Amino acid sequence: MVVNCIFCDILSGKRNAHILYEDDDHVAFLDRYPIDIGHSLVVPKEHHEKITDMNPNNVGELFSVIPRVASAILSATGADAFSLGQNNGRAAKQIIPHVHVHIIPRYNHKGTIWTKRAISNDGELSTLAEKIRKFI
């Protein structure tokens, strides 16, 4: 765990998150500032700032979690598709310096916007997280 890392604080229990999935090496939770309903993050428990800092096998394991979580999000939200995002470094708009993969549900009737974010309340996030967990 790294001091002043929001994701490490979530992993250690110092911060709350709406957890969707967890195994020995990864956790998935709802993004607090989603681009769209169901926007989630898959995070390795071991702290690495950039994906290039990780062992290639660990990168593969991280990405192997995504289909299961994404399928559950699609089922729970009724989304038509999803986008993946993974930023490395400040110039790439990586806000939290801990490797993470965005799963962003997409809806045909809304179009695809990358930069618009909303602030969800805890009640909405808790209800959605419970719904998604049922499909995992």
Side-chain angles (χ1 to χ4, degrees), residues 35 83-86 102 104 106 112-117:
I35 291 174
S83 297
L84 294 179
Q86 205 287 310
H102 296 262
I104 306 164
R106 300 301 188 173
T112 303
I113 299 171
W114 279 99
T115 56
K116 179 186 166 227
R117 290 188 176 239

Side-chain angles (χ1 to χ4, degrees), residues 80-97:
D80 299 297
F82 66 95
S83 297
L84 294 179
Q86 205 287 310
N87 304 319
N88 293 276
R90 189 175 288 273
K93 304 298 182 206
Q94 181 183 15
I95 297 168
I96 308 298

Side-chain angles (χ1 to χ4, degrees), residues 62-75:
L62 170 65
F63 276 84
S64 74
V65 171
I66 291 168
R68 185 174 186 185
V69 176
S71 292
I73 292 167
L74 293 174
S75 295

